């Protein structure tokens, strides 16, 4: 099926994760880290009882030596 099928499955998994977590559906967001130069963001979302940490890299390639927040 190729790479398109893998990407489709990835999006399905993200949607399923969001639906299963009240914290991820919440509008309460606290930015923990944001770097425009490195295109990395980390934030928490919470609904008062559940708190979720989200870390995302918007880079097109991995960091050779990792990344520390």
């Amino acid at each position: 099926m190729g790479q398109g099928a893998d990407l489709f499955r990835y999006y399905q998994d993200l949607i399923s994760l969001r639906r299963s977590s009240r914290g991820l559906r919440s509008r309460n967001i606290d930015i923990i880290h944001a770097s425009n130069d490195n295109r990395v963001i980390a934030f928490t979302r919470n609904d008062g009882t559940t708190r979720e940490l989200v870390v995302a890299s918007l880079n097109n390639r991995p960091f050779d030596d990792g990344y520390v927040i």
Side-chain angles (χ1 to χ4, degrees), residues 26-59:
S26 168
R27 293 183 183 193
N28 298 326
I29 298 175
D30 294 314
I31 303 295
I32 305 298
H33 175 81
S35 172
N36 288 334
D37 293 339
N38 294 316
R39 301 188 70 206
V40 173
I41 188 166
F43 58 92
T44 61
R45 295 186 82 159
N46 71 81
D47 69 346
T49 59
T50 304
R51 185 175 202 171
E52 306 288 347
L53 172 66
V54 178
V55 180
S57 171
L58 304 175
N59 281 311

